Amino acid sequence: EIVLTQSPGTLSLSPGERATLSCRASQTVFSSYLAWYQQKPGQAPRLLIYSTSTRATGIPDRFSGSGSGTDFTLTISRLEPEDFAVYYCQQYSSSPLFTFGPGTRVDIK
Amino acid sequence: EVQLLESGGGLVQSGESLRLSCAASGFTSMNYVMSWVRQAPGKGLEWVSSIHIGGGITYDADSVRGRFTISRDNSKNMLFLQMNNLRADDTAVYYCVKGRSDWLDAFDIWGHGTTVTVSS
């Protein structure tokens, strides 16, 4: 069973700064089947990135994903006020079918 | 507009049953794997169940296997989740989600969620 760990738990940054979020898997995520989601309070999650590095429709290019194997990263190049939210990584490569990480909260410093 | 609308949530007692429904619009849901994802109050996301495009193949998380059953009616663009023998730890917002493709893939469309509360 693949377990995902995200770090840090909370990231306190100012608008305009760069955010780097980490997602580590307990086993290799095959075919780079890793996604990232953003969730704001009271809202459903929104798909940002799939297949490790492909931006979903309508996602601005300040969001980028990278990584392979067991280590993956979501980078927000310059934080906008609307980017302060919780971010989850998800693998969809092996049993259990879909696993989410515990999330990283990006707070305004 | 592509949209998923859940219904059927509510307050039930431990051991009771509930059936969630999800109406898809703006796309043909039969072409995609559909799933349910839940989120307990103040907690993270937990995948619950998924169903293949034809409906003949389903997948469940260990936490719900044997108690929850996912199904779909492609003729009506509907997805369902039959939840039996509910427990307090099933309390959550339940999201209906659309996969990006007809196989295992990321979830690109989410409903707004329906709240299930199980009292013990």
Side-chain angles (χ1 to χ4, degrees):
Chain A
E1 175 180 336
I2 293 182
V3 177
L4 299 179
T5 304
Q6 292 186 242
S7 61
T10 302
L11 197 52
S12 295
L13 295 169
S14 301
E17 289 193 296
R18 181 185 188 90
T20 303
L21 287 66
S22 173
C23 177
R24 177 162 291 177
S26 59
Q27 304 171 36
T28 296
V29 178
F30 292 105
S31 302
S32 296
Y33 284 162
L34 188 110
W36 291 90
Y37 300 84
Q38 176 195 66
Q39 187 177 33
K40 298 178 182 179
Q43 296 184 17
R46 175 175 71 146
L47 177 64
L48 297 175
I49 301 283
Y50 62 92
S51 296
T52 297
S53 59
T54 305
R55 278 188 299 277
T57 302
I59 302 303
D61 60 7
R62 63 180 181 273
F63 291 92
S64 63
S66 63
S68 65
T70 60
D71 291 301
F72 300 86
T73 301
L74 174 70
T75 302
I76 310 171
S77 59
R78 288 175 54 86
L79 282 164
E80 297 288 340
E82 62 268 26
D83 298 338
F84 292 92
V86 179
Y87 293 84
Y88 295 95
C89 60
Q90 176 208 30
Q91 70 84 21
Y92 47 100
S93 78
S94 66
S95 181
L97 282 192
F98 303 101
T99 312
F100 291 94
T104 290
R105 180 181 304 277
V106 179
D107 280 346
I108 298 178
K109 187 174 182 180
Chain B
E1 180 189 3
V2 175
Q3 199 170 354
L4 296 169
L5 184 62
E6 305 96 335
S7 61
L11 172 63
V12 296
Q13 302 272 5
S14 178
E16 293 184 341
S17 299
L18 212 53
R19 189 191 195 210
L20 306 183
S21 300
C22 171
S25 59
F27 71 101
T28 304
S29 64
M30 67 182 295
N31 294 330
Y32 302 93
V33 171
M34 298 293 293
S35 303
W36 291 94
V37 173
R38 69 184 181 184
Q39 186 169 35
K43 302 298 184 182
L45 303 171
E46 180 188 16
W47 166 71
V48 174
S49 297
S50 296
I51 187 165
H52 199 247
I53 56 175
I57 302 174
T58 62
Y59 312 89
D60 302 302
D62 288 346
S63 58
V64 306
R65 188 170 295 120
R67 300 187 300 122
F68 291 11
T69 302
I70 188 172
S71 62
R72 64 195 302 167
D73 184 339
N74 288 334
S75 68
K76 297 180 179 178
N77 243 13
M78 295 287 295
L79 179 72
F80 305 100
L81 185 68
Q82 177 66 42
M83 305 186 294
N84 297 331
N85 192 21
L86 282 159
R87 310 185 305 217
D89 61 358
D90 294 318
T91 294
V93 174
Y94 284 73
Y95 294 103
C96 171
V97 299
K98 168 189 169 291
R100 287 188 57 253
S101 68
D102 62 353
W103 190 232
L104 305 178
D105 210 330
F107 303 144
D108 62 349
I109 303 295
W110 295 63
H112 287 124
T114 186
T115 300
V116 173
T117 304
V118 185
S119 66
S120 52

